[in-house]
Amino acid sequence: MGSMFRFGVGLRDTSSAAKVRSAAHRAEDLGYDIVLVPDHLGAPAPFPVLATIAAATETLRLGTFVLNAGFYKPALLARDVAALHELSAGRFEVGLGAGYVRAEFEAAELPFPSARQRVEYLERVTAYLAEHVPDVPIMIAGGGDRLLTVAARWAAIVGVTGGSGEDPLAERIAFLRSVAGERFADIELNVAITAVPTDGSGVPNLSMTRHYAPDLTDEQLLTLPGVLSGSVDEMAAKVRRLHDEYGARYLVIQEAHAEVFGQVIAALR
């Protein structure tokens, strides 16, 4: 069972080297395979944080979830990616997205392109990294048709979001399969877990999930693939279904859920 999944945890409190090292060691102890940091203005810069994790660990993989491609020039980003690849002894995975927060572009004194232009630029950055740092796995996360078409061409890992219909995740994966063709078999599917019960009640806090699906009722939110509820065994059973029904084998957990989900990891392994 252990080889069926990879589990990642997204770090939020990266305000000091001591906290970063502590979080990385805790992730290792709980059985996580990879730690991830976001890329937002107002939060610490991802590469120094990841270099700190690399220096404090030996086997834990590390990645970005995800870099805003619009913030970077391809050659300069490739330089940082190559350096972290070497400093971590090959443990780095670069996660990329097209960027979506207008206010962050404006704060960075960058123009905010159209959605099409942002995805086109994401592909330009991705193609450059694939050529110049080919040993670093590339993850692309998002849900639009254009973005998933880029991911189908270039990414080793695809974080699937969005979608429509009765089963939005299945719909998006079906689209990815259609545009990836034979390459689909080589793509690792990622799903973000947005809600996990942490107080012993079996009922998760749905506020993060509701942010992405504001029109759904609590009952509907609880049925979403990225929402876990119930006992440890019940959560483990739903994680298995994510693999069996969708083909997802790489799950990302929020730092606030890391301890409880660590019990799920133990149950699965």
Side-chain angles (χ1 to χ4, degrees), residues 13-102:
D13 189 353
T14 56
S15 56
S16 74
K19 289 180 178 179
V20 169
R21 289 192 293 266
S22 176
H25 292 150
R26 182 180 66 156
E28 284 185 310
D29 292 342
L30 291 171
Y32 290 92
D33 303 287
I34 182 169
V35 293
L36 304 143
V37 298
D39 183 25
H40 292 290
L41 287 183
F47 283 98
V49 173
L50 291 167
T52 301
I53 296 170
T57 59
E58 293 185 359
T59 60
L60 194 65
R61 295 188 69 79
L62 46 145
T64 50
F65 197 86
V66 287
L67 294 179
N68 179 346
F71 284 174
Y72 303 92
K73 294 297 184 182
L76 299 178
L77 179 59
R79 180 179 63 172
D80 284 350
V81 169
L84 193 50
H85 174 70
E86 293 299 326
L87 292 171
S88 67
R91 290 181 282 144
F92 179 51
E93 302 174 9
V94 58
L96 300 168
Y100 61 94
V101 183
R102 176 188 289 270

Side-chain angles (χ1 to χ4, degrees), residues 149-186:
T149 300
V150 171
R153 180 178 181 186
W154 295 102
I157 309 156
V158 179
V160 184
T161 65
S164 59
E166 292 187 6
D167 192 338
L169 180 60
E171 187 270 329
R172 290 290 77 194
I173 292 173
F175 177 83
L176 178 65
R177 183 190 298 273
S178 72
V179 292
E182 293 182 358
R183 194 174 179 276
F184 182 80
D186 298 322

